[in-house]
Amino acid sequence: MSLGSKLAWDDTVLPFQLDHADIRGRVARLDGVLSNVLKQHDYPTVVEALVAEMALLTALIGQTVKLRWKLSLQVQSDGPVRMIATDYYGPTKEGEPARIRAYASFDPDRLTDAAPFEQLGKGYFAIMIDQGQNMTPYQGLTPLAGASLAECAEAYFAQSEQLPTRFQLSFGQSVEPGVGEHWRAGGVMLQHMPKASPFAKGDEASGADGLLHARDLVDGEDGENWNRVNILLDSVEELELIGPQVTPATLLTRLFHEEQPRVYDLQPVTFGCTCSEDRVRQSLSIYSAKDIEKMTTDAGRVTADCQFCGAHYDLDPKTVGLEAAKANGNA
């Protein structure tokens, strides 16, 4: 296998459908995206693992939504890792990559030697969709539950969307010949088509903490199809998910050949941040001159740092704020 062929499916999401079982899905492989996300910060390994898992979930979920603008995933908790936030920006033009960015906020003094998910305490997992101007933003959330962020996402779809959903993920630090140690991630997302039972009741919930589980939403033939495909997915090996030897299409054939998977076009993804000086100025335009004065450093500047990409903005306080915006005709 050549390096070129490997790169052809790194940092991509492959949509597919299992027509017989009425199930759709995605296969994602992230490599350079994770490297670019994580190199912006000096995270401890347990935090890097959580960010890697969240970025992989974002790639899989984002590709399933027809976006005009962006999809965001967010975790808030009272544990050592207080927040994880990711954004997925859909392609603006045919053939362009989708863009992903991510960051985490944590208390280094409270981190432990426990598993990454145990660095989260009580809190919630949220999905937000912003489809741009003149469109109502959507937000749904579910309590943190289970033993992974993937299980939280499954609970979200069962509870908030009543859509049976399954994630099988693999991620970790990889060493390849000629390449330094870096993070790689791969995963499969399965989701029953929306006709699945929309009438599950709370007292039927079998998931963690009394939340609905995918199995609570399907029965009869749909339930049999869902169980069969999930058993097939259970047979996947971590190295098959994370690559780099097995292409996404080959992986689908290995797992679901009897289901006759139908694949669609690969969607490339890349690291991308939307911050800019103009956006910083816009965010400061609501503040009065007195507020801007309080933000001004001893050096006589107003500064801002992007939490996602680490970009640093250094501005003259006379050029920002409400009064400056009005003077420039922008307010």
Side-chain angles (χ1 to χ4, degrees):
M1 178 190 65
S2 69
L3 178 61
S5 65
K6 169 183 173 294
L7 293 176
W9 65 77
D10 267 350
D11 297 325
T12 62
V13 181
L14 177 67
F16 68 90
Q17 191 158 313
L18 307 177
D19 291 324
H20 177 68
D22 213 17
I23 289 172
R24 61 188 175 188
R26 303 290 186 269
V27 179
R29 294 274 175 81
L30 300 183
D31 187 287
V33 170
L34 285 184
S35 295
N36 282 312
V37 164
L38 295 173
K39 77 179 183 182
Q40 312 300 327
H41 306 274
D42 186 20
Y43 292 136
T45 302
V46 289
V47 178
E48 286 186 323
L50 288 169
V51 174
E53 183 178 9
M54 195 78 151
L56 182 55
L57 288 170
T58 303
L60 289 164
I61 296 170
Q63 216 286 330
T64 68
V65 182
K66 300 299 182 183
L67 292 174
R68 289 173 53 192
W69 188 224
K70 72 172 180 178
L71 172 139
S72 301
L73 269 59
Q74 192 173 110
V75 163
Q76 294 269 8
S77 95
D78 62 4
V81 178
R82 299 184 296 268
M83 173 190 281
I84 311 169
T86 63
D87 289 328
Y88 175 101
Y89 294 90
T92 55
K93 294 180 182 178
E94 188 76 22
E96 287 188 348
R99 292 170 294 155
I100 292 176
R101 63 181 190 172
Y103 84 95
S105 173
F106 63 98
D107 184 346
D109 294 333
R110 296 176 60 202
L111 292 174
T112 70
D113 294 330
F117 188 74
E118 294 182 31
Q119 310 301 323
L120 301 171
K122 294 181 180 179
Y124 65 80
F125 177 95
I127 292 182
M128 295 154 280
I129 299 175
D130 180 352
Q131 298 191 82
Q133 292 183 345
N134 303 318
M135 299 291 288
T136 303
Y138 166 82
Q139 176 176 302
L141 55 88
T142 190
L144 291 175
S148 66
L149 291 173
E151 289 187 22
C152 292
E154 291 170 357
Y156 165 83
F157 280 106
Q159 199 74 20
S160 298
E161 306 294 330
Q162 301 257 305
L163 283 175
T165 305
R166 165 81 185 281
F167 295 94
Q168 187 75 9
L169 310 181
S170 178
F171 48 91
Q173 292 175 311
S174 171
V175 178
E176 299 169 44
V179 182
E181 186 175 68
H182 63 289
W183 282 84
R184 281 184 62 85
V188 177
M189 174 183 181
L190 296 178
Q191 193 165 67
H192 204 288
M193 300 296 276
K195 74 169 188 175
S197 169
F199 46 78
K201 301 183 180 66
D203 57 5
E204 298 172 353
S206 63
D209 295 340
L211 298 173
L212 287 170
H213 188 277
R215 59 179 168 266
D216 304 321
L217 303 171
V218 285
D219 55 18
E221 184 178 355
D222 285 340
E224 292 177 5
N225 289 337
W226 180 253
N227 290 336
R228 182 182 67 256
V229 170
N230 274 270
I231 289 171
L232 294 173
L233 183 57
D234 287 337
S235 69
V236 72
E237 297 179 2
E238 283 196 47
L239 284 178
E240 291 180 307
L241 287 173
I242 211 167
Q245 284 78 20
V246 182
T247 72
T250 300
L251 175 61
L252 291 176
T253 301
R254 287 185 181 183
L255 291 174
F256 306 121
H257 64 278
E258 294 181 359
E259 305 294 327
Q260 298 180 333
R262 179 156 51 107
V263 300
Y264 299 93
D265 292 337
L266 273 173
Q267 171 63 64
V269 291
T270 188
F271 170 76
C273 191
T274 59
C275 75
S276 67
E277 183 174 313
D278 286 343
R279 287 180 180 271
V280 174
R281 291 183 180 278
Q282 184 177 5
S283 68
L284 292 172
S285 66
I286 63 173
Y287 295 102
S288 68
K290 184 177 291 187
D291 293 327
I292 294 298
E293 185 179 353
K294 293 177 182 178
M295 300 178 193
T296 303
T297 67
D298 293 340
R301 307 293 290 179
V302 172
T303 62
D305 296 308
C306 177
Q307 294 171 304
F308 288 98
C309 71
H312 178 73
Y313 298 95
D314 186 311
L315 307 171
D316 182 343
K318 295 178 182 179
T319 66
V320 295
L322 181 60
E323 284 79 1
K326 286 180 177 179
N328 293 324
N330 297 325

